[in-house]
Amino acid sequence: MIEVEVHSSLRAFLREQENRSWPHHLTMARLVARALRLGRSALIQTGVSSHGTGKYRLSYLAPALLWTKSVILVAPESVQQRLLEVEIPQMRQWMGREKAILTGDAWPDADFQGLLLISPEVWLADRLKGLNRIPFGIPTIFDGADDLEEWARDQLTASLRPSDWEELMLAFPRKVKAIRDARVQLTKAVFQHPANPYECYLISPAEQDILRRLYAVLENAIGVEGRQNLVETRTIPSGEQGSGRGGEFPASPNLPPAWRNFWHRLQAEDQLMWAEIARSQGQFSLYCGPVEVATALEKIWHHEPVVLIGAALDLETEAIAYRQRVGLGNLTCLKFSPDRQNELIQLYLPDRLPMPNTPQFQGVLIQEVQMLVETMDRSLGENPDIQRLAVILVEDTPLKAQVASVMAAEFGSRVQVEKTSLSNNGILVTGWEFWRHYQEALPAPQLLVMATLPIPSLENPLVAGRVAHYKEQRKDWFRLYLLPVALSELQRAIAPVRECRGVVALLDGRVNNRSYGSQVLEALSPLARINYLDSNWFTSDR
């Protein structure tokens, strides 16, 4: 059986490389091999590290290369580049196999029996939009399942940019006035929304009606023959079903693609429509996408066996909440236990912290941050060669600016706000999104301070819209949506700190006072919890 061959070959390779992480590597390799042989889907959580799921790529490459039939590997382009330059040449040389390896956005030909590397965006677009560039039934390994929900939402979201209005006027020269009037009305309505830090706003039914009336005008403009084309129907691919017109939509060649796609989305059920504003330019873009992606995704999983691999998908091995969000049914689930010896962090969690929504919080936060940085400096000394990066995560924009200002007054040019060029003793003040995107490009911090838990804010109109959807269905919107998002964000944020066994400070009093605090601590494990400042936390050899 392929499981035996994979186990034997990978074990010998790891022994040759003096890699001692055999149990997890071999367990994962056997499960992937079993999925290939039996056509049975699986979900694997590897645990968070500074390399994401990267340290286990050999475990799915071994069965993928030894399997005699074709395999699809879905992975971001950065991961593909690493695989092609490092892991695949290593494994092919060791195994002596010459299996064909290709990258692309479509299946090469009917006789291809190799390994095709493809990006998540391309694979999801093919499956959700019915492009039929990739045949069904080919075993698929998906590396990066942590971002699956976001990638799927992007594929299912239609947009109208400012330039699309100009394209529409070129397509309908006799209706330029009606198009301009609609744009003026929408501009006036959108810019009347009160300002918020996110510069995005849900579009009200009245504002949606402006677009619907414009579509009606364009439909009438096509004429009798064109109108017949406009109401011509075709089958909507899986993921676009459920429109308010029984699966029908305009197919007019006059209607530019962006406008046609937006109309499809606008007609579908359970959609959010919002505007993003560029106030300095006096322009806006419109977006329309599904409230949840499970309905669309659940229709694609039965086409072939899929092995989904992620770092921190769910606290539970069975990943019930995650599977619900991405439409997964019953499948084999595996979750690796963390390595307490090598992945332990020191978690500073003071007692009696004020709640983030109280007036006392800002003063206590700034005081704690100053003391933490000073403690790190005293411990590591003045040696400029010692890496002692401190990262301060503050999501609230005004508070982030205030923290940066006070820290700069005390620590000078060491303090940078959302910059990647940092000195050895730099202090980075940033929001969660910036840290998520750039943490792999920055040195591992000795100190990571989190002002609050990364629970999505209800002040964000998109978050509020999704919460409203959960409420309409009488579901626990906090434990099914907000909390899982926060826990996943937490685990990924602290991954670099585990690499140097640094200190994580969490200054959110809700961890001590809310029932979900135990889940937060579980997500951060393995950890040594402390509630006092001690210079012995930091050592230059970590």
Side-chain angles (χ1 to χ4, degrees):
M1 291 192 300
I2 186 175
E3 291 98 312
V4 176
E5 184 180 5
V6 166
H7 180 99
S8 176
S9 181
L10 182 58
R11 184 178 61 180
F13 177 81
L14 294 173
R15 181 177 290 159
E16 178 75 16
Q17 301 294 317
E18 297 185 354
N19 188 320
R20 300 303 178 187
S21 301
W22 294 358
H24 286 344
H25 274 299
L26 299 177
T27 299
M28 180 170 168
R30 288 194 302 270
L31 181 58
V32 175
R34 179 172 176 265
L36 296 176
R37 181 175 64 87
L38 299 179
R40 187 172 299 170
S41 295
L43 179 69
I44 304 173
Q45 298 186 68
T46 63
V48 175
S49 71
S50 59
H51 305 292
T53 60
K55 63 181 179 180
Y56 291 112
R57 289 185 188 129
L58 295 174
S59 303
Y60 64 67
L61 273 180
L65 293 175
L66 286 172
W67 183 240
T68 57
K69 301 178 183 178
S70 53
V71 179
I72 295 174
L73 173 55
V74 182
E77 292 182 0
S78 59
V79 174
Q80 291 184 37
Q81 183 177 358
R82 166 79 185 184
L83 289 168
L84 292 169
E85 294 177 355
V86 181
E87 284 91 356
I88 288 178
Q90 286 180 340
M91 294 301 294
R92 289 179 74 176
Q93 182 178 5
W94 174 263
M95 295 176 175
R97 297 296 179 94
E98 296 298 328
K99 188 168 189 173
I101 311 291
L102 291 178
T103 62
D105 58 2
W107 193 250
D109 58 65
D111 297 327
F112 181 69
Q113 294 293 314
L115 175 63
L116 176 66
L117 277 62
I118 196 166
S119 72
E121 293 83 1
V122 170
W123 187 81
L124 285 168
D126 185 85
R127 289 297 185 253
L128 293 172
K129 299 178 181 179
L131 303 181
N132 297 321
R133 295 175 180 171
I134 305 170
F136 294 131
I138 300 171
T140 301
I141 301 170
F142 198 109
D143 185 343
D146 301 82
D147 296 312
L148 172 59
E149 193 174 4
E150 181 180 352
W151 287 328
R153 183 170 281 112
D154 288 344
Q155 291 300 321
L156 295 170
T157 297
S159 63
L160 292 176
R161 315 282 178 162
S163 59
D164 291 322
W165 292 86
E166 305 299 329
E167 187 176 355
L168 186 64
M169 286 187 277
L170 290 174
F172 291 88
R174 296 184 179 180
K175 293 299 176 182
V176 168
K177 183 179 183 302
I179 296 169
R180 283 178 176 165
D181 288 346
R183 182 167 64 175
V184 168
Q185 293 176 49
L186 277 172
T187 302
K188 182 179 179 181
V190 166
F191 277 84
Q192 283 181 342
H193 287 277
N196 67 48
Y198 307 95
E199 288 293 5
C200 74
Y201 312 88
L202 292 180
I203 296 300
S204 68
E207 293 161 348
Q208 293 184 33
D209 286 341
I210 298 173
L211 274 178
R212 296 183 188 277
R213 288 194 295 270
L214 175 59
Y215 275 110
V217 169
L218 300 179
E219 183 177 355
N220 291 331
I222 294 173
V224 175
E225 181 178 353
R227 187 177 297 111
Q228 291 174 350
N229 291 331
L230 187 66
V231 298
E232 179 184 341
T233 64
R234 70 169 172 85
T235 302
I236 300 178
S238 63
E240 295 186 9
Q241 298 289 349
S243 76
R245 295 179 58 175
E248 300 181 358
F249 57 81
S252 167
N254 291 36
L255 205 59
W259 287 86
R260 187 181 304 121
N261 292 339
F262 201 87
W263 179 247
H264 301 164
R265 270 297 140 210
L266 188 60
Q267 293 293 87
E269 297 176 354
D270 295 330
Q271 303 293 300
L272 282 182
M273 183 175 170
W274 69 95
E276 291 185 357
I277 294 180
R279 290 190 181 275
S280 61
Q281 303 172 20
Q283 296 181 335
F284 66 93
S285 298
L286 295 175
Y287 299 86
C288 189
V291 179
E292 48 81 24
V293 298
T295 302
L297 286 175
E298 68 182 358
K299 299 170 184 175
I300 72 174
W301 300 126
H302 66 277
H303 292 310
E304 55 266 321
V306 179
V307 179
L308 294 161
I309 304 169
L313 307 178
D314 202 299
L315 287 184
E316 304 298 329
T317 300
E318 295 300 319
I320 296 175
Y322 174 82
R323 285 160 47 201
Q324 288 178 347
R325 296 201 308 275
V326 298
L328 283 168
N330 293 326
L331 72 173
T332 304
C333 295
L334 174 67
K335 182 177 183 179
F336 295 152
S337 301
D339 184 345
R340 186 169 184 83
Q341 181 177 356
N342 297 317
E343 299 180 13
L344 180 77
I345 60 167
Q346 305 215 51
L347 177 66
Y348 174 60
L349 183 61
D351 298 325
R352 293 185 291 276
L353 285 166
M355 290 298 186
N357 60 349
T358 61
Q360 297 80 18
F361 179 73
Q362 178 175 317
V364 172
L365 170 66
I366 293 175
Q367 181 181 16
E368 290 282 355
V369 170
Q370 289 174 317
M371 290 190 298
L372 282 161
V373 174
E374 290 168 356
T375 301
M376 180 184 71
D377 286 347
R378 283 196 305 271
S379 176
L380 298 179
E382 299 298 326
N383 188 341
D385 296 328
I386 296 177
Q387 176 66 51
R388 50 180 175 181
L389 174 64
V391 176
I392 319 299
L393 287 172
V394 185
E395 185 62 20
D396 180 81
T397 302
L399 182 56
K400 178 169 58 181
Q402 182 66 23
V403 170
S405 176
V406 173
M407 294 295 289
E410 180 172 352
F411 298 99
S413 60
R414 291 175 61 186
V415 179
Q416 299 291 329
V417 179
E418 299 192 344
K419 298 286 181 61
T420 55
S421 297
L422 303 169
S423 62
N424 272 359
N425 63 346
I427 300 171
L428 174 64
V429 181
T430 177
W432 287 86
E433 183 176 0
F434 182 90
W435 178 241
R436 185 192 323 125
H437 288 161
Y438 294 102
Q439 67 185 61
E440 291 187 7
L442 293 168
Q446 288 281 344
L447 172 64
L448 177 67
V449 182
M450 299 180 286
T452 58
L453 294 169
I455 298 174
S457 173
L458 291 176
E459 294 180 2
N460 185 330
L462 298 184
V463 174
R466 290 168 191 155
V467 166
H469 177 74
Y470 277 93
K471 288 181 177 179
E472 289 174 3
Q473 296 186 324
R474 300 181 181 276
K475 293 182 177 179
D476 189 337
W477 48 272
F478 182 78
R479 296 192 179 275
L480 291 177
Y481 169 39
L482 298 187
L483 185 59
V485 170
L487 297 182
S488 178
E489 189 82 34
L490 271 176
Q491 293 178 81
R492 299 169 77 173
I494 68 170
V497 188
R498 296 194 187 279
E499 180 180 312
C500 61
R501 301 194 68 181
V503 175
V504 174
L506 182 51
L507 304 178
D508 193 327
R510 290 175 292 185
V511 179
N512 293 324
N513 297 289
R514 295 289 186 264
S515 61
Y516 55 82
S518 59
Q519 293 175 268
V520 172
L521 296 177
E522 183 181 351
L524 296 176
S525 296
L527 59 87
R529 182 176 175 178
I530 44 184
N531 60 3
Y532 58 91
L533 295 174
D534 188 340
S535 60
N536 292 327
W537 296 344
F538 303 94
T539 59
S540 58
D541 59 347
R542 281 180 177 167

